[in-house]
Amino acid sequence: MALLDESTEELLQEIALELAFVQSGGQSSIAALISSLGKLQQIAAAQGKEKALQLCRELSGWLVDIESSGTALDAGELEALQQKYQPLEKALYAEANKTEAGFTINLESQDDLELLNEFCNEGKDLLSQVEQGVLVLEEDPAHRETLNQVFRAFHTFKGGAGFLGLEPIKDLAHILESLLDAARQNSLVIDRHVINLILAGGDTLRKFVDGIEQTIRSDNKTAPIIVPTRELIERVRSTLDGNPGEVTNEKPDETSMLASEPASEPINQPASVPADEAIITPPIAEVIKSIPTLPKEIEEPQPKPSPKPKATNLSNFVKIDTQKLDALIDLVGELVIAKSMVVEHPVVAWQQSEELSRELRQLSRIAADLQRNAMSLRMVPIRTTFQKMNRLVRDLANSQNKQITLITKGEDTELDRNIVEALAEPMIHMLRNSIDHGIERPAERESLGKSAEGKIEIEACHQAGGILIRIEDDGRGIDPSRVLAKARERGIIDSDFNGNTHEILSLIFEPGFSTAETVTDVSGRGVGMDVVRGSISRLRGRIDVQSVVGKSTTFSIYLPLTLAIIDGMLVGAGNQRFIIPTLSIQESFKPTASMLSTLKGRGQLVNLRGRLIPMISLCQKLKIDKGSGDPSEGIILIINSGGQAKGLLVDHLISKQEVVIKPMGDTLQCQPVYSGAAIMGDGRVALILDPDALGRSESPRTESQTSSN
């Protein structure tokens, strides 16, 4: 059912009331009808509704002739009035249908309902940011930070609407985004006219969001949601073209009501009714329901819609500023540190009181429970991220003329909210590569003895105190020989590089690497997988790849549960202590002198089961003078550094423990080998090392495979 603007709706209701009582009202009712029709003519003319304008003039002229006769309407004239009014109302709604875009929500599963609910929650937050930002811009149009914030809000809104197929919302957000972008490029001056346009756009988008929210919580989920946007979009386009004066209407709130109201059951337009047929709104239908000449299409009972998902399971959220939540978690972390300092204080440790020991254990339990519950406030299921991938796979498969099924497992696995939000981008890169390079076309798959339909499986699960996300496809796999040849061609490795299969496959994460022969809008520019590894590294995780040529490719992403706490290995180097994330440690061992060697131009190497691995001395790397001079007296940790195995030589291992991550001061921000700091139980600070940065100066060219030392 199309919607009219508020003024037109009010006039139609006035006319409907007069129609109901025109026979008893006499000349006064005829005069009221002529007056309302005159106002309706002005609105129809202003909105360019030619057919409605013509019918309105004809009906008004006919009533003027009757009024001039000075007689009341007889039965024949009353029936003629009703018959003349109906085409007018039909024309108004039909032309609204033609000029205003809308959408109907099609819910196929509970997941769709949850996605729409999340879109509404996020949309309200974004629109609040827009409104606050516009008020700042009205006072200071040159405030770049606020301008960028409002631009990003519309961009994010557009992306969410496009993903869910809400085209009218996406189109409006896109044109508003273009308006802000023109201001960012200094090609448009932000004045009151532009401010009004942005506010009007925000109000219109809010009406759409409210309409979606009302619809998914109502029993009738097939009612179309239509909000007038054509005039607003034209005003924005005129402004972008440098002709803001072409539109005189500057009211930012000039948008009409939503199509569906939660308190009443809307009358929906049947799919079989042509666009030029009338749809009568509930208030008018109730007033003139006694008129015997209603269109047959409206009299016919409508088919019952298929059962739709219930909205009873939708969660109600209390919106909390994330800064407050982060501040709470930081305070809990400080409490845990303070507790550790008290428990490990020498004065307390020397006490022999059983009662004190019992109270300290109780304090430790309470502090641990408090920390665990505080951290859970930022834990969210990965389900939403997985759901977004469904649409991505479907659209890309269609564009590539491929048949692909996406299987997801472990959607209820919970991670830190910040990790979940940051994980979407690298997952999109990997899926795009899998669809473009991995999965074959149906004919090719059948010729290889495979099913015509490809399969991509995404799984999330807990592993070793962290989270493992596995992305596997049953496509053509990655050919190591082709990767090696392409890496040498692009100068990523030297010609004498002789790494193992795992090391060769890890070369796909090097910047600029791509085996695609042609560049498409999906991939092939060599800017994908290095971005993936960078994003995962910033989350203090790592990524591995395994592949069987002609059968499958599997990407494994290892992530911590949260970014606030790290599970680390405390190591000693000289008289200092450092923390290394346990996710980056593959194994540790005490080397013997026979395992160590030095090659000219390649530095120290350690032979681990016939494999020569570059060795990094932590004392030498950090210029610590008091470290052990003999490597055989230390401990070597095999760490994953930039996708390559490195041997990190430390003096000794101290302990494995969870620590609260603290940001570093400005002095150490420029030191890439440190990713954070932690306050230990004795009150001293231990710096957290970045494994990727430790081995960055060590090129993959130095790694080789051998069977002997």
Side-chain angles (χ1 to χ4, degrees), residues 47-48 285 311 360 420 600 609:
Q47 296 179 352
L360 288 176
V420 172
K600 185 178 180 180
R609 294 184 291 274

Side-chain angles (χ1 to χ4, degrees), residues 376-405:
S376 69
L377 296 177
R378 291 206 316 196
M379 305 293 281
V380 297
I382 201 171
R383 176 188 302 274
T384 304
T385 302
F386 279 11
Q387 289 172 348
K388 292 178 180 178
M389 300 304 117
N390 275 298
R391 178 65 179 274
L392 174 72
V393 171
R394 174 189 174 277
D395 291 347
L396 286 179
N398 288 338
S399 67
Q400 300 266 333
N401 295 319
K402 296 179 180 179
Q403 301 175 14
I404 303 176
T405 298

Side-chain angles (χ1 to χ4, degrees), residues 433-434 437-438 473 475-484 501 504-509 513 515 529 545-555:
N433 276 277
S434 178
H437 299 310
D473 68 69
R476 58 174 57 94
I478 303 175
D479 187 352
S481 61
R482 190 178 176 201
V483 171
L484 190 61
T501 301
I504 293 173
L505 292 179
S506 296
L507 293 174
I508 67 173
F509 298 109
F513 182 88
T515 58
M529 300 310 292
V545 58
Q546 296 176 330
S547 184
V548 179
V549 179
K551 291 186 177 181
S552 66
T553 300
T554 303
F555 289 96

Side-chain angles (χ1 to χ4, degrees), residues 365-659:
R365 282 194 297 269
I366 293 174
D369 289 343
L370 178 61
Q371 184 182 37
R372 186 163 47 252
N373 280 278
M375 296 308 305
S376 69
L377 296 177
R378 291 206 316 196
M379 305 293 281
V380 297
I382 201 171
R383 176 188 302 274
T384 304
T385 302
F386 279 11
Q387 289 172 348
K388 292 178 180 178
M389 300 304 117
N390 275 298
R391 178 65 179 274
L392 174 72
V393 171
R394 174 189 174 277
D395 291 347
L396 286 179
N398 288 338
S399 67
Q400 300 266 333
N401 295 319
K402 296 179 180 179
Q403 301 175 14
I404 303 176
T405 298
L406 178 66
I407 301 173
T408 58
K409 299 179 180 179
E411 299 97 330
D412 294 328
T413 304
E414 292 188 339
L415 287 86
D416 189 299
R417 171 180 54 84
N418 296 329
I419 295 180
V420 172
E421 291 175 354
L423 194 59
E425 181 181 355
M427 288 186 64
I428 288 173
H429 276 297
M430 285 186 285
L431 287 175
R432 287 165 69 95
N433 276 277
S434 178
I435 295 170
D436 197 31
H437 299 310
I439 303 294
E440 308 94 339
R441 297 186 188 277
E444 182 181 352
R445 291 180 62 87
E446 290 177 341
S447 67
L448 296 172
K450 297 182 178 181
S451 169
E453 186 175 67
K455 182 179 71 174
I456 298 177
E457 185 174 302
I458 306 177
E459 180 182 11
C461 62
H462 291 270
Q463 186 178 93
I467 295 294
L468 167 64
I469 297 177
R470 186 177 57 83
I471 302 175
E472 180 179 1
D473 68 69
D474 64 347
R476 58 174 57 94
I478 303 175
D479 187 352
S481 61
R482 190 178 176 201
V483 171
L484 190 61
K486 186 64 69 171
R488 285 172 175 160
E489 175 187 327
R490 291 180 177 249
I492 296 175
I493 58 173
D494 291 333
S495 58
D496 59 347
F497 174 83
N498 190 28
N500 60 24
T501 301
H502 178 265
E503 293 163 350
I504 293 173
L505 292 179
S506 296
L507 293 174
I508 67 173
F509 298 109
E510 294 296 320
F513 182 88
S514 176
T515 58
E517 299 297 336
T518 59
V519 175
T520 68
D521 59 347
V522 177
S523 61
R525 292 179 173 84
V527 295
M529 300 310 292
D530 63 311
V531 172
V532 170
R533 187 177 67 182
S535 300
I536 299 301
S537 297
R538 285 191 292 273
L539 298 175
R540 288 194 291 275
R542 63 183 176 89
I543 181 171
D544 289 333
V545 58
Q546 296 176 330
S547 184
V548 179
V549 179
K551 291 186 177 181
S552 66
T553 300
T554 303
F555 289 96
S556 299
I557 303 174
Y558 302 90
L559 295 166
L561 284 173
T562 175
L563 296 178
I565 295 177
I566 188 172
D567 188 14
M569 179 71 71
L570 189 64
V571 302
N575 60 353
Q576 299 187 33
R577 298 177 301 178
F578 300 94
I579 297 172
I580 301 174
T582 54
L583 278 176
S584 300
I585 301 174
Q586 299 177 4
E587 60 180 302
S588 63
F589 59 92
K590 188 174 183 64
T592 62
S594 61
M595 299 173 64
L596 304 172
S597 61
T598 302
L599 293 182
K600 185 178 180 180
R602 296 196 176 185
Q604 290 184 306
L605 303 172
V606 58
N607 188 329
L608 181 62
R609 294 184 291 274
R611 178 185 177 194
L612 289 180
I613 300 175
M615 190 175 70
I616 306 168
S617 172
L618 188 58
C619 290
Q620 294 179 7
K621 184 79 174 179
L622 303 181
K623 297 179 173 58
I624 300 173
D625 297 331
K626 296 182 180 180
S628 173
D630 186 359
S632 62
E633 295 180 1
I635 299 292
I636 292 181
L637 302 175
I638 302 300
I639 62 173
N640 186 299
S641 179
Q644 307 295 325
K646 308 289 182 182
L648 181 65
L649 176 65
V650 300
D651 288 347
H652 55 278
L653 303 182
I654 300 176
S655 65
K656 177 179 175 294
Q657 56 185 282
E658 286 187 347
V659 294

Side-chain angles (χ1 to χ4, degrees), residues 68 82 209 216-218 241 341 346 416 480 562 567 628:
S68 62
Q82 295 168 350
V209 170
I216 64 178
R217 282 169 170 77
S218 67
D241 293 337
M341 295 173 65
D416 189 299
T562 175
D567 188 14
S628 173

